[in-house]
Amino acid sequence: MTASAHAAHLAQLNVATLRHPFDDPRMAPFVEMLDPVNAAADDAPGFVWRLVEEGAADATGLRPAGEDVIVNLSVWENQEALWDFAYRSGHLEVMRRRREWFERHVEAHLVLWWVPAGHLPTVGEALERLANLQAHGPSPHAFTFASPVSATEAAQHLQPAPSAQPEQAARSARPLPAGGSAAI
C-alpha cells in the first residue's frame, strides 16, 4: 500500500458480467491484458491498494456478485489519480474493448466513495455502496465520475460512529504501524 498524507482516499468498485466463461478462448485477449494492466495500476501515481485473491495476482477468481460477475475493488489517493489511470493509460484499451468480453449493464456497475486513509474496504462494503447507488442514485455515500462528491462534502454527511466506553477504548487502542495509518 502506498503511503499518503491524504485524510481520505477514494474507493472504487466496478463489476462486469462475463459474456463467456473465463477460460473460453474469446476471453483470452482480456486475460492476457490482466497482468500488464494490474502492474500499471500498482505503479500509477495515486494508487493505494487493490483487491487480490489470496494466492493469485488479481481478484478475477472471486465471484461475490455471481458466478459470471467479476469485481474490481481498489483505493486511490483521489479522483484525479483514478481517472488518469482509467482513461489516460493502457487501461483505456480494456475499456474500449469491454463489449467483446462483458455484457452491457443496465444499472450502475461502477461506484465511488470516500474512505478514511488506511481503511481497506471489504467486498461486502463495496457491494452495499453499489446497491445504494443503484437504489437511490448518486449521493455523498455512493457516487460516480459523472456525479462526483469531494472528500469534504462526503465527510459532512458521515454519521459519527458511536464512541466506545473510555476503558474499552483504552484496552483496544493499539500503536499505529510506522507511517501513522492503520489498515483495517
Side-chain angles (χ1 to χ4, degrees):
M1 183 162 53
T2 302
S4 171
H6 299 279
H9 287 156
L10 185 70
Q12 76 79 31
L13 169 75
N14 67 74
V15 298
T17 303
L18 299 169
R19 283 189 177 272
H20 316 286
F22 213 64
D23 59 356
D24 186 294
R26 293 171 286 188
M27 293 298 293
F30 173 75
V31 173
E32 290 167 5
M33 289 183 187
L34 282 172
D35 286 343
V37 169
N38 285 334
D42 293 348
D43 293 337
F47 171 81
V48 176
W49 170 86
R50 68 180 167 90
L51 177 67
V52 174
E53 182 180 12
E54 190 171 330
D58 57 48
T60 56
L62 300 174
R63 302 297 169 88
E67 199 52 40
D68 61 343
V69 178
I70 60 173
V71 299
N72 177 293
L73 174 60
S74 61
V75 177
W76 296 79
E77 287 182 353
N78 53 50
Q79 184 171 325
E80 293 76 24
L82 174 57
W83 179 270
D84 285 346
F85 170 71
Y87 297 102
R88 294 187 179 118
S89 76
H91 181 266
L92 186 57
E93 179 64 18
V94 176
M95 299 286 290
R96 287 183 177 134
R97 297 183 63 188
R98 69 186 179 272
R99 296 290 171 248
E100 295 176 39
W101 309 305
F102 307 111
E103 300 291 341
R104 182 177 298 275
H105 282 263
V106 176
E107 294 184 301
H109 64 280
L110 169 90
V111 63
L112 308 173
W113 72 101
W114 292 100
V115 297
H119 174 72
L120 302 181
T122 66
V123 174
E125 175 185 346
L127 291 172
E128 182 279 324
R129 298 287 180 149
L130 181 60
N132 182 282
L133 177 66
Q134 291 170 340
H136 305 291
S139 72
H141 184 75
F143 53 95
T144 67
F145 280 126
S147 59
V149 173
S150 72
T152 303
E153 291 171 306
Q156 293 171 353
H157 291 87
L158 293 178
Q159 297 295 326
S163 59
Q165 297 296 331
E167 65 185 59
Q168 290 175 324
R171 280 197 310 252
S172 65
R174 286 178 257 182
L176 293 176
S181 65
I184 301 173

